[in-house]
């Protein structure tokens, strides 16, 4: 399988394992990704998973994008369905109730960067190279890049990247907010686990409500966003975890959250 799933100590890992093609996303990989995402969604519901990290096999690449060889010679209908398949798979990652992070240690191009953009966070080593080079192929990003990138780094910088197709190095990516954090080079799994560690101790309800308020609020006016925040904060307040968190503070002990 080119998409490997492992679940260990409350963390799910999706590992792209097609190094001979720099982990390029074939349509069969997208199908595998959907199968794996169903397992992750089930594991989250069962309380077995509190975070997800995505990694790529090999020294060179997280993921070099959609499989260009496979994209050639398709009908418009096939192409439209292909774009939808990629968008839907990445939407499922974006909609997970737990924090997710893409570990970028080499190329994150095209669909590979779009996959990373669907994660809650992106962490990069100094060797990471990011870009949406589709224009060089006469294409445009089709797995969410034209929508998620400007929401993350702003219209001007997103248009610069999309219209030039240029490669952004790790330092610039951090400076413009494209990656959340730069880290020392190391084993990608260890980087993913270390990045997610601070989130693991919190209750899923608070994490989910906070994330939901931010993401939903970003798609609307400030006034509507404040209403969303009011609802989400009230829902979080109603949870047993909130009772536990405030009681633990008063009793000067660590909180034990049960996601209830
Ligand atoms: N697709 C298929 N094969 C790839 C891809 C790719 N995206 N990237 C690399 N490979 C393959 C190469 O063909 C090569 O295989 P082979 O030896 O059999 O020819 C192998 O991986 C190694 O690649 P290189 O020899 O090219 O390695 P280099 O280190 O010289 O170069 C690069 C690395 C710079 C990353 C280079 O491979 C490259 O430019 N790759 C293409 C990057 C790119 O353009 N990505 C965007 C793809 S389009 C896209 O993602 C659109 C998404 C939305 C589509 C919506 C419609 C469905």
């Amino acid at each position: 399988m080119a998409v490997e799933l492992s679940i260990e100590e409350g963390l799910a890992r999706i590992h792209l394992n097609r190094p001979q093609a720099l982990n390029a996303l074939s349509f069969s990989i997208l199908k595998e990704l959907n199968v794996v995402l169903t397992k992750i969604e089930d594991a989250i519901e069962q309380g077995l998973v509190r975070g997800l990290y995505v990694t790529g096999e090999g020294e060179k690449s997280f993921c070099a994008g959609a499989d260009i060889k496979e994209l050639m010679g398709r009908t418009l209908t096939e192409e439209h369905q292909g774009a939808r398949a990629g968008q839907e798979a990445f939407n499922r990652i974006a909609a997970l109730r737990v924090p997710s992070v893409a570990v970028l240690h080499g190329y994150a191009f095209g669909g590979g960067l779009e996959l990373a953009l669907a994660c809650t966070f992106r962490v990069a080593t100094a060797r990471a190279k990011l870009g949406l080079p589709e224009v060089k192929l006469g294409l445009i990003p089709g797995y969410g890049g034209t929508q998620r990138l400007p929401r993350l780094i702003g219209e001007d910088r997103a248009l610069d990247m999309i219209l030039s197709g240029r490669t952004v190095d790790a330092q610039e990516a951090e400076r413009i907010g494209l990656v959340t954090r730069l880290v020392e080079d190391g084993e990608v799994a260890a980087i993913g686990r270390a990045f997610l560690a601070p989130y693991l101790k919190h209750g899923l309800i608070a994490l989910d409500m906070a994330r939901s308020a931010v993401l939903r609020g970003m798609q609307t006016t400030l006034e509507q966003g404040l209403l969303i925040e009011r609802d989400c904060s009230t829902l979080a307040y109603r949870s047993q975890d909130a009772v536990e968190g405030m009681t633990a503070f008063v009793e000067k002990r660590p909180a034990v959250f049960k996601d209830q």
Side-chain angles (χ1 to χ4, degrees):
M1 299 289 270
V3 181
E4 295 170 359
L5 169 66
S6 53
I7 296 178
E8 217 176 304
E9 293 174 11
L11 289 180
R13 175 188 187 182
I14 293 177
H15 187 59
L16 303 174
N17 191 357
R18 194 192 174 202
Q20 67 280 13
L22 304 183
N23 302 319
L25 299 167
S26 61
F27 289 113
S28 77
I29 286 188
L30 287 181
K31 282 196 184 126
E32 283 183 40
L33 191 57
N34 273 309
V35 172
V36 156
L37 282 167
T38 300
K39 292 182 180 163
I40 293 173
E41 287 160 356
D42 289 348
I44 291 170
E45 287 314 307
Q46 291 166 36
L48 301 173
V49 162
R50 314 183 66 79
L52 163 71
Y53 59 103
V54 188
T55 54
E57 178 67 22
E59 288 295 303
K60 281 175 73 171
S61 179
F62 167 72
C63 172
D67 188 318
I68 299 168
K69 295 166 192 169
E70 207 183 59
L71 286 182
M72 295 168 73
R74 290 158 59 79
T75 65
L76 286 184
T77 306
E78 285 169 335
E79 192 55 16
H80 201 257
Q81 283 167 348
R84 193 169 66 195
Q87 288 183 349
E88 287 179 352
F90 295 178
N91 281 347
R92 289 180 73 182
I93 294 177
L96 292 175
R97 287 179 62 222
V98 299
S100 56
V101 62
V103 182
L104 311 179
H105 70 290
Y107 300 119
F109 282 162
L113 180 56
E114 292 172 298
L115 167 57
L117 287 169
C119 292
T120 320
F121 304 110
R122 289 140 295 284
V123 63
T125 73
R127 288 188 295 123
K129 291 183 176 11
L130 297 77
L132 292 175
E134 284 88 342
V135 283
K136 296 180 186 170
L137 303 165
L139 300 172
I140 76 164
Y143 289 166
T146 65
Q147 303 307 305
R148 290 200 171 94
L149 188 65
R151 283 169 170 77
L152 186 67
I153 65 172
E155 176 187 326
D156 181 59
R157 285 182 163 133
L159 278 171
D160 166 47
M161 282 182 67
I162 293 167
L163 300 188
S164 69
R166 74 184 177 87
T167 300
V168 168
D169 66 23
Q171 287 74 20
E172 181 183 358
E174 188 197 31
R175 184 169 55 74
I176 64 178
L178 179 50
V179 302
T180 320
R181 202 168 301 148
L182 279 188
V183 291
E184 292 287 310
D185 218 342
E187 205 240 322
V188 285
I191 292 173
R193 284 195 301 269
F195 183 90
L196 289 172
Y199 307 106
L200 295 182
K201 55 181 185 245
H202 304 307
L204 276 191
I205 293 176
L207 292 181
D208 190 22
M209 287 298 118
R211 196 168 148 272
S212 180
V214 171
L215 296 184
R216 287 168 59 201
M218 289 292 288
Q219 290 172 30
T220 185
T221 61
L222 176 63
E223 195 183 8
Q224 288 299 315
L226 289 169
L227 288 175
I228 291 169
E229 181 188 74
R230 215 178 295 166
D231 290 345
C232 288
S233 67
T234 307
L235 277 173
Y237 178 81
R238 286 287 294 169
S239 68
Q240 289 175 33
D241 279 354
V243 175
E244 163 64 9
M246 291 184 282
T247 306
F249 173 79
V250 171
E251 294 176 354
K252 299 188 186 301
R253 61 169 174 82
V256 181
F257 295 121
K258 294 187 174 154
D259 303 332
Q260 289 171 356

